[in-house]
Amino acid sequence: MISYAKSYATIDIRTTNDIVTGRRKARALAAALGFGMADQTRLATAVSELARNVVEYAGSGSCEIIDASDAIFHCVTVIVQDNGPGIADIDSAMRDGFSTGGSLGAGLPGTRRLADSFMIESKPGLTRITISFSLRKESL
């Protein structure tokens, strides 16, 4: 449960332009919270991968970017979800090189490695992936 969460932006994901908007807004929040360029890039890359999966496999969905900072950490949480067919085999989808769409199969496992936390749930009609990036506040 996120106790201090505050929605920063919600983007409808339908086109590649929406992917760019999602990554730009996630990066902007991370910059505003004091994340460095490397962490901003990790976050933007992760959002791109997840949003691209929405466009490619479900056609449409959404990306919510949340400031989940608390007294100890600055935290950006991103929830990407769609109402597509779902991921039939999550364990396989999380392995490098697995793809049902002819890609390199690096998106989901790569995103898991980039994020500080990664949760996935999927069934027909709903896939939801929640990722978080945290930065300890310097004043503590």
Side-chain angles (χ1 to χ4, degrees):
M1 180 62 107
I2 300 168
S3 59
Y4 298 93
K6 180 172 51 176
S7 184
Y8 176 76
T10 301
I11 300 103
D12 290 330
I13 304 293
R14 291 188 173 82
T15 69
T16 54
N17 287 338
D18 301 327
I19 298 168
V20 173
T21 300
R23 83 180 270 135
R24 189 175 57 235
K25 286 189 180 283
R27 183 186 285 268
L29 177 57
L33 293 176
F35 284 76
M37 287 301 294
D39 289 334
Q40 293 175 38
T41 301
R42 283 189 316 130
L43 174 60
T45 300
V47 169
S48 285
E49 290 293 339
L50 298 179
R52 187 173 317 284
N53 282 350
V54 168
V55 172
E56 207 164 296
Y57 296 104
S60 65
S62 65
C63 172
E64 183 175 13
I65 301 164
I66 300 164
D67 177 354
S69 300
D70 60 21
I72 300 171
F73 291 97
H74 294 293
C75 181
V76 177
T77 295
V78 179
I79 302 169
V80 177
Q81 65 182 28
D82 65 64
N83 300 110
I87 300 170
D89 184 348
I90 292 175
D91 290 338
S92 293
M94 295 308 300
R95 285 197 316 258
D96 285 316
F98 179 84
S99 174
T100 59
S103 69
L104 295 174
L108 286 177
T111 299
R112 180 173 56 187
R113 286 189 292 271
L114 290 171
D116 294 325
S117 73
F118 179 98
M119 293 184 295
I120 185 170
E121 58 182 302
S122 186
K123 61 183 179 185
L126 177 64
T127 295
R128 179 181 300 129
I129 300 173
T130 304
I131 57 174
S132 293
F133 293 76
S134 298
L135 174 68
R136 187 172 188 85
K137 292 183 176 178
E138 291 181 19
S139 61
L140 298 175

